Amino acid sequence: MIRRCLLSAVLIAAVTSASALAAERPNVVVVLVDDFGWGDPACYGNTVVKTPNMDRLAKEGVRFTQGYVAAPICSPSRCGIITGHFPGKWKITSFLQTKAGNKACAMADYLDPQAPSLPRMLKDAGYATAHIGKWHLGGGRDVTDAPKFHEYGYELGLGTYESPEPAAPLGLKTTPWGPQDKLEPQQVPRHERSKWMVDQTLEFLKKNRSKPCFVNLWLDDTHTPFVPSEEQMKAVRALGEAEQRTKYKAVLAALDVQLGRLLDGLKGTNTLVLFLGDNGPSQPFARVRSGGLRGQKLSLYEGGVRVPFVAWWPEVVKGGGVNDKTVIAAVDFLPTLSTLCGARLPKGYTPDGEDMAPAIKGESPARTKPLFWEYGRNDTSFAYPMDPKHRSPNVAVRDGNWKLLVNVDGSGVELYDLAVDPKEDKNVAGDKPDVVKRLTELALAWRKSLP
């Protein structure tokens, strides 16, 4: 009898301990905005349209001024978030498309399910996991054998057309930027997609409130074409304004409304929101939307890879902080969330990113690892952007405040001191031969190491 009571007490203690741990660990929602310029939120300098909820994120969280993604285009950028690796390691270097198009870019057709996976790591640690929205890491077009969401560790997968399991409200056969007069049955109009995704996110969190949750909320907005409703346009229209400018403002303002709904729905919960773009903006208005940074989507200059980046965790972090010292990147998510969520790193795993948990908590640690990028495996599939001022060399490295760009054949070297020249106006390669030599060797050795 005594032995049975002792055993019961041990079991109760174990369950209580596990429940307490689950209660302490945060929900995590990664809000990824598509083609999002560093200067799109008002808190990053946008004076064209108000974004009160993005500003609220920054006011209640930590706003980073040196936040980076792993690539200047969607699929490899997303690969970096999932794996914590530079995406070329997994043969993803441009947007995933048809098999022929992928082959022309020397790419895989989808992210290898054997790759390290952030959602799988968190699922193994007891998290409920969901992907909601744009995937673009395999599936769609003629790629019919892409792995399902569960193979990456997601319990729920509600993808767009460019995924292995598209959700009917997001379109089973068409992209979100297709003709709005040819919507499929159940498909929501383009201007309601962000609302639908936020609704699904809040519903998933509600259904799984007994344990911590991880959700990728990966939005279609602000990818072109801009397709707002007339009501959304009316809310921001200025007299005599060009129609395309009004559409841009309307899409950004409508997205901001949905972000507010998300934050309101998270009140009273222990939730960490990581808010960022997947790469820089595309035309039109790329120059305005990049906040004055050189480059855009498809460029390794800052405007292509530096993005708005906010960590919001009101239960833990005092809001209003601006971190202009820490260089933080999306490849840091996997090791960082391993620490913050009490999860074990995958067996044998060596991250390309680093643990930035102190930065998420409001400190300003210095980065210890360099960041690398590539874009441009050939001159045909990667012949963008067309503007020569914003088309970069095809390999880049940032180490400390130095950023070097170089072509894979060693030509076209450019060196910038980002501490004094974040707009990359003054190439100082001729003045710093030792820095050029060191970083060129580092960048080209890294590029050579990729498959």
Side-chain angles (χ1 to χ4, degrees), residues 113-131:
Q114 299 304 310
S117 171
L118 173 57
R120 185 188 304 124
M121 178 189 77
L122 293 178
K123 182 175 184 290
D124 289 345
Y127 272 68
T129 55
H131 176 88

Side-chain angles (χ1 to χ4, degrees), residues 196-272:
W196 186 88
M197 294 178 196
V198 167
D199 287 344
Q200 302 310 306
T201 298
L202 294 175
E203 182 63 23
F204 181 80
L205 293 168
K206 181 179 178 181
K207 284 182 177 178
N208 293 279
R209 57 190 163 202
S210 63
K211 58 181 177 177
C213 298
F214 170 76
V215 182
N216 273 342
L217 172 56
W218 288 5
L219 304 166
D220 294 319
D221 293 329
T222 52
H223 196 294
T224 54
F226 305 128
V227 191
S229 68
E230 183 56 42
E231 182 180 357
Q232 290 167 345
M233 291 179 67
K234 185 179 178 181
V236 300
R237 182 178 278 120
L239 186 64
E241 184 173 63
E243 186 83 347
Q244 188 70 347
R245 188 178 181 88
T246 303
K247 287 182 176 181
Y248 157 64
K249 290 166 55 180
V251 167
L252 191 58
L255 169 60
D256 188 77
V257 169
Q258 298 310 316
L259 182 59
R261 291 183 61 244
L262 175 68
L263 297 182
D264 289 343
L266 296 176
K267 280 182 179 178
T269 67
N270 178 18
T271 301
L272 167 62

Side-chain angles (χ1 to χ4, degrees), residues 356-434:
M356 283 292 176
I360 299 300
K361 290 184 175 181
E363 300 175 29
S364 299
R367 185 169 201 87
T368 63
K369 291 184 176 183
L371 290 172
F372 296 94
W373 298 272
E374 66 154 317
Y375 182 76
R377 290 285 177 114
N378 58 60
D379 291 331
T380 304
S381 299
F382 298 86
Y384 306 97
M386 304 300 289
D387 185 340
K389 177 176 172 55
H390 300 285
R391 186 172 180 184
S392 66
N394 53 33
V395 181
V397 57
R398 175 167 181 172
D399 188 30
N401 289 324
W402 292 115
K403 182 177 175 186
L404 179 134
L405 300 98
V406 60
N407 288 311
V408 72
D409 63 3
S411 67
V413 176
E414 300 177 23
L415 179 70
Y416 301 98
D417 181 353
L418 296 180
V420 297
D421 184 23
K423 295 183 180 180
E424 296 168 301
D425 288 328
K426 185 179 180 182
N427 179 4
V428 297
D431 302 329
K432 300 288 182 180
D434 292 344

Side-chain angles (χ1 to χ4, degrees), residues 317-333:
V317 181
K318 181 180 178 181
V322 178
N323 187 331
D324 57 7
K325 296 179 180 178
T326 301
V327 176
I328 191 167
V331 290
D332 300 333
F333 282 9

Side-chain angles (χ1 to χ4, degrees), residues 136-147:
H136 220 161
L137 286 170
R141 298 183 174 87
D142 62 347
V143 179
T144 58
D145 59 342

